[in-house]
Amino acid sequence: MVAWLVLALFLHKAPPATARATVKVTGVVGRAVLLGADIPLGFQVRDAIWRYLAPAEELVATYFRGSAETLYQSRFYGRSRLHSNLTLEISQVELGDSGTFSALLVNTRGQTETRMLHLAVYEVVSQLTLQVFTSESSRSGSARVCEVFLTCVAASGTNVTYSWGRTDGKVLSMDNHSLFEAGLVLWAKLGPSDRQVSYTCTAANAVSWESATIAPWEHCQRETGAEDAVYDYRNILLIALPLSVLVLAVVVFGLLLSRKRSGKQRTKLLLDASEPAAAPV
Ligand SMILES: *[C@@H]1O[C@H](CO)[C@@H](O)[C@H](O)[C@H]1NC(C)=O
Ligand SMILES: *[C@@H]1O[C@H](CO)[C@@H](O)[C@H](O)[C@H]1NC(C)=O
Ligand SMILES: *[C@@H]1O[C@H](CO)[C@@H](O)[C@H](O)[C@H]1NC(C)=O
């Protein structure tokens, strides 16, 4: 530890011999990620320090004269491992591990190299749910045009972007398509020529993607295509609903009435029972 402090002081004073661009590393939640030190050819590493810089600076791993140490009080305690090639391995990566790491390398001649790496952690996109909502006008109007809202939701995944396509390869014309909620919702006006068409939603992030397909016209047909069936069904509802309300009202009224009667009877019985007791006194 004392040796490390000396080394750290030394490194803070001496500016790195060569500064390189920050390397971007992508991690996946729950998996391991390797952060390479990218040692130059012929650079005989004697000491190395891996630090996590942001949001709070933490010491993650050191290599000093042949021995590696990773048991420092950092968020990576118990999850970090320093390989002999000075690659830092973080296992069971979490979203909060995203941040900047630095590696300071010192060779046997006292020269230094600095490496900066930015780790971005993502959760894998999974289980897309596609749903179709038909508008009220589509259901009651003619079967020629059908307006639908398609929603696409991933069960998990961070930094997900949604995009839509048609299986017939046609570009989504903005005359009859609109996107809402950053692509989560697609509104489409379908014509008779769109009966066969399916829409594909693709949800993607830096580490994964999922896609799902749905044929929206089927949902229009269910409402407007079989118009007669819908009409019959509605007629039944028109009659059945008031009828059932009436029946319910009668039943409730009857129940209330009988309860009132039995209540009266009970009080009457009580009065009858109390009368003889009162009489002899
Ligand atoms: C360093 O070692 C680890 C573990 O053996 C290996 O997975 C990784 O590919 C190595 N990296 C380089 C740059 O050699
Ligand atoms: C991912 O989303 C988070 C939270 O919205 C944001 O802080 C982060 O910058 C995003 N990462 C990328 C690479 O876009
Ligand atoms: C959608 O717009 C395209 C281009 O403007 C047009 O060719 C197509 O007929 C439209 N479809 C409907 C159902 O209006």
Side-chain angles (χ1 to χ4, degrees):
M1 200 62 198
V2 174
W4 172 75
L5 283 174
V6 171
L7 182 68
L9 279 172
F10 160 71
L11 287 168
H12 268 286
K13 281 196 181 141
T18 45
R20 296 194 188 188
T22 301
V23 174
K24 288 188 162 63
V25 182
T26 303
V28 178
V29 171
R31 299 196 197 147
V33 70
L34 292 175
L35 304 172
D38 188 18
I39 303 162
L41 264 176
F43 192 89
Q44 296 281 312
V45 179
R46 191 190 64 192
D47 313 307
I49 302 175
W50 272 102
R51 286 181 299 163
Y52 182 59
L53 300 181
E57 190 174 320
E58 287 173 339
L59 188 62
V60 183
T62 58
Y63 175 81
F64 195 75
R65 294 193 178 169
S67 73
E69 181 61 79
T70 55
L71 293 177
Y72 294 106
Q73 271 307 323
S74 77
R75 63 174 294 117
F76 307 103
Y77 183 91
R79 293 194 290 135
S80 55
R81 190 174 152 201
L82 194 60
H83 291 285
S84 56
N85 58 15
L86 298 174
T87 289
L88 178 66
E89 180 177 346
I90 307 285
S91 53
Q92 309 225 308
V93 167
E94 301 163 8
L95 286 175
D97 292 346
S98 293
T100 307
F101 290 79
S102 84
L104 298 169
L105 309 171
V106 185
N107 72 2
T108 45
R109 290 162 61 198
Q111 292 167 319
T112 63
E113 287 274 343
T114 307
R115 298 287 178 267
M116 300 287 275
L117 298 95
H118 188 267
L119 174 66
V121 181
Y122 299 86
E123 189 183 55
V124 167
V125 176
S126 75
Q127 274 184 357
L128 281 194
T129 305
L130 266 181
Q131 277 184 292
V132 181
F133 297 91
T134 52
S135 70
E136 193 61 44
S137 64
S138 299
R139 264 178 265 152
S140 53
S142 74
R144 292 238 178 116
V145 173
C146 180
E147 286 178 41
V148 292
F149 283 96
L150 307 180
T151 63
C152 181
V153 179
S156 72
T158 54
N159 301 78
V160 181
T161 54
Y162 294 88
S163 58
W164 296 86
R166 277 165 67 110
T167 47
D168 62 1
K170 275 190 198 161
V171 179
L172 300 190
S173 151
M174 281 306 131
D175 291 344
N176 36 36
H177 294 93
S178 293
L179 287 171
F180 301 96
E181 301 291 323
L184 260 147
V185 179
L186 172 76
W187 170 82
K189 194 169 158 187
L190 307 171
S193 60
D194 298 318
R195 276 167 193 266
Q196 303 299 325
V197 84
S198 294
Y199 284 79
T200 299
C201 167
T202 304
N205 65 11
V207 297
S208 59
W209 65 275
E210 280 281 325
S211 80
T213 299
I214 202 161
W217 190 265
E218 285 169 20
H219 297 259
C220 298
Q221 272 185 320
R222 197 171 298 159
E223 321 279 2
T224 56
E227 227 163 340
D228 294 340
V230 169
Y231 220 70
D232 285 349
Y233 180 60
R234 280 190 189 166
N235 282 347
I236 289 166
L237 266 187
L238 276 178
I239 299 162
L241 206 69
L243 204 71
S244 58
V245 168
L246 199 74
V247 167
L248 198 73
V250 167
V251 167
V252 168
F253 187 71
L255 270 175
L256 280 175
L257 214 68
S258 70
R259 190 166 288 178
K260 220 172 178 184
R261 264 197 208 136
S262 69
K264 262 187 195 157
Q265 266 172 358
R266 215 172 285 153
T267 45
K268 209 176 164 198
L269 278 174
L270 279 173
L271 283 174
D272 290 347
S274 60
E275 264 166 39
V281 178

